[in-house]
């Protein structure tokens, strides 16, 4: 597991955000090497009277001689795990000594092949401690995986919003793509909460923009929070995703867009404008515009989402959500039939492509070639 980027993100979370109280001490163990030193730090933290939150990011390995599970440390190798890894039962026994309901563990772990086989017969024990997170299967030989759960956990906590432990877990799961077959720690969210409105493939369409066509006689309606009459919008539900998806699937595009816009306004009022909660609803509205075959609105909203994630939320250019937003803005830009609209969006898209090249080679070059065609005088 590649933890190089998530460690700074976790360290940047305000200490009070971890526990929900002002007087909080943060202890960071990045790439620790000595199991006894790690245990000493854990025991010291466990001895405190107040609430304790433990974030674990790393790999589980099995001691082949004794069959015990260890949390790999900086110098752990399969042959030396017994001496260089942190025995899992040390962690559990230390945390179990605390008063009930004062400890929460958030874990983003990956299991080696032997541990993974064990976990299917017997779940990983956390004793009487509340545990949330995911355990992912081995990614394959000589491959690494990204700790997406931990990255999303840091993003939520850095947004200034600190829900309860279970709500925090559900909010994190809503933001990430969990590996197929991964094991959930803690309650698995209901289907409507775990799955966002489905989104189209992120790969930009390779087809260039068709020749500019005259605008349709009746322009499509652009729905934004400012344009939706308050009286026409139903009260925001606890989780309106399922209702929005049903309306969109049934072709009631205006209804779906109004529900999403109402949810976005609620997120802005509750958490603020440039927050992960609000940008999520911008992306839902972008997808709904795609389904409604309104590439102009969809492109603009995907551009807005990408810019917010990069500039306001300080996400990395290669973060999954950032790449996805830029890819989908690019895809919708390629669907535009109005040459003037394509020219208007182009500077923002080009600026984003310079920062977020994406995984598809030649994406920026494709935009520049299309712009060159659009700006060329028509053939006589």
């Amino acid at each position: 597991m590649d933890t190089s980027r998530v460690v700074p993100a976790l360290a940047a979370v305000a200490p009070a955000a971890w526990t929900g109280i002002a007087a909080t001490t943060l202890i960071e163990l990045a790439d620790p090497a000595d199991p006894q030193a790690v245990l000493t730090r854990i025991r010291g933290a466990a001895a405190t009277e107040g609430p304790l939150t433990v974030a674990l990011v790393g790999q589980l390995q099995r001691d082949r001689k004794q069959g015990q599970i260890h949390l790999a440390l900086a110098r752990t190798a399969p042959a030396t795990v017994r001496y260089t890894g942190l025995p899992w039962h040390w962690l559990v026994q230390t945390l179990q000594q605390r008063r009930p309901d004062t400890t929460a563990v958030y874990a983003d772990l990956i299991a080696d092949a032997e541990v993974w086989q064990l976990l299917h017969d017997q779940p990983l024990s956390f004793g009487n401690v509340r545990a949330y997170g995911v355990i992912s299967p081995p990614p394959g030989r000589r491959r690494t995986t990204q700790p997406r759960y931990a990255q999303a956990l840091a993003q939520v906590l850095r947004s200034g919003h600190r829900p309860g432990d279970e709500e925090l877990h559900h909010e994190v799961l809503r933001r990430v793509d969990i590996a197929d077959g991964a094991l959930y720690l803690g309650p698995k969210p209901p289907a409507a909460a775990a799955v966002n409105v489905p989104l189209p493939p992120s790969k930009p369409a390779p087809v260039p923009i068709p020749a500019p066509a005259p605008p349709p006689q009746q322009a499509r309606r652009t729905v934004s929070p400012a344009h939706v009459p308050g009286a026409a919008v139903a009260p925001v539900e606890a989780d309106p995703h399922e209702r929005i998806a049903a309306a969109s699937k049934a072709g009631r595009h205006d209804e779906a867009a109004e529900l999403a816009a109402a949810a976005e306004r609620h997120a802005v009022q509750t958490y603020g404008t440039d927050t992960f909660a609000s940008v999520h609803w911008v992306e839902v509205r972008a997808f709904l515009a795609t389904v409604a075959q309104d590439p102009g609105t969809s492109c603009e909203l995907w551009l807005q989402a990408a810019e917010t994630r990069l500039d306001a939320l300080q996400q990395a250019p290669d973060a999954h959500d950032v790449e996805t937003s830029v890819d989908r803005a690019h895809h919708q830009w390629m669907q535009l039939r109005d040459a003037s609209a394509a020219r208007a969006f182009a500077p923002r898209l080009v600026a984003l492509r310079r920062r977020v090249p994406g995984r598809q080679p030649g994406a920026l070059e494709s935009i520049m070639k299309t712009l060159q065609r659009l700006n060329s005088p028509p053939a006589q």
Side-chain angles (χ1 to χ4, degrees):
M1 178 175 283
D2 179 11
T3 62
S4 60
R5 292 175 183 167
V6 76
V7 169
L10 291 170
V13 174
W18 286 108
T19 60
I21 61 174
T24 299
T25 299
L26 178 66
I27 300 174
E28 177 188 349
L29 300 178
D31 291 330
D34 182 2
Q36 291 289 345
V38 174
L39 179 62
T40 299
R41 287 301 192 102
I42 294 173
R43 285 174 173 169
T48 61
E49 289 295 325
L52 173 66
T53 302
V54 181
L56 296 173
V57 184
Q59 181 171 325
L60 298 174
Q61 293 186 357
R62 187 186 181 196
D63 167 20
R64 294 173 181 173
K65 185 173 183 179
Q66 296 185 340
Q68 294 183 345
I69 295 176
H70 289 63
L71 180 64
L73 302 182
R75 298 172 186 168
T76 302
T80 64
V81 62
R82 183 181 175 188
Y83 308 103
T84 60
L86 178 71
W88 187 258
H89 69 273
W90 286 9
L91 174 67
V92 174
Q93 289 175 357
T94 302
L95 297 181
Q96 278 192 141
Q97 298 173 13
R98 291 177 48 79
R99 289 186 295 109
D101 299 323
T102 61
T103 310
V105 175
Y106 289 90
D108 191 343
L109 302 170
I110 185 170
D112 70 8
E114 294 187 20
V115 173
W116 187 248
Q117 187 174 1
L118 285 176
L119 294 180
H120 281 81
D121 299 326
Q122 182 176 356
L124 188 66
S125 171
F126 284 84
N128 56 8
V129 175
R130 299 192 308 273
Y132 308 93
V134 292
I135 304 177
S136 301
R141 189 173 179 82
R142 296 183 180 178
R143 298 183 63 185
T144 59
T145 187
Q146 295 296 321
R148 300 194 186 281
Y149 181 93
Q151 289 168 342
L153 175 66
Q155 290 167 2
V156 174
L157 292 175
R158 288 175 66 185
S159 71
H161 175 49
R162 180 53 164 97
D165 291 331
E166 188 169 323
E167 292 81 3
L168 176 59
H169 171 64
H170 287 175
E171 179 65 22
V172 171
L173 289 179
R174 181 180 296 171
R175 297 169 185 268
V176 292
D177 297 324
I178 302 300
D180 291 339
L183 303 176
Y184 288 86
L185 302 174
K188 189 174 180 179
V195 182
N196 290 335
V197 177
L199 297 170
S202 60
K203 181 179 178 180
V207 183
I209 296 178
Q217 293 182 354
Q218 184 176 0
R220 298 184 185 275
R221 181 184 177 193
T222 301
V223 181
S224 68
H227 298 153
V228 179
V233 180
V236 178
E237 307 163 34
D239 190 344
H241 288 86
E242 187 172 358
R243 186 177 172 194
I244 292 171
S248 177
K249 186 176 181 180
R252 302 193 304 274
H253 302 302
D254 281 358
E255 177 187 341
E258 289 173 356
L259 288 168
E264 182 187 351
R265 284 201 306 276
H266 177 72
V268 169
Q269 293 168 0
T270 305
Y271 309 120
T273 304
D274 295 329
T275 59
F276 288 99
S278 61
V279 79
H280 165 73
W281 289 109
V282 173
E283 293 171 344
V284 171
R285 291 175 55 222
F287 168 70
L288 295 173
T290 301
V291 176
Q293 298 181 6
D294 185 356
T297 299
S298 184
C299 178
E300 182 175 13
L301 291 169
W302 283 121
L303 290 172
Q304 177 186 338
E307 291 164 347
T308 300
R309 288 187 176 279
L310 282 168
D311 299 329
L313 301 178
Q314 297 292 300
Q315 289 189 266
D318 61 350
H320 175 73
D321 291 335
V322 174
E323 287 188 338
T324 297
S325 296
V326 177
D327 287 347
R328 286 168 180 162
H330 189 166
H331 178 85
Q332 290 303 298
W333 187 78
M334 299 291 281
Q335 310 308 308
L336 291 170
R337 301 295 187 269
D338 185 345
S340 61
R343 294 190 192 96
F345 288 133
R348 293 170 66 189
L349 182 59
V350 169
L352 283 171
R353 269 296 176 217
R354 293 189 190 281
R355 300 170 67 185
V356 187
R359 309 298 173 92
Q360 187 72 12
L364 178 59
E365 290 77 5
S366 171
I367 298 172
M368 303 308 292
K369 289 179 181 178
T370 301
L371 275 175
Q372 188 176 13
R373 286 196 297 269
L374 288 173
N375 294 326
S376 299
Q380 300 294 329

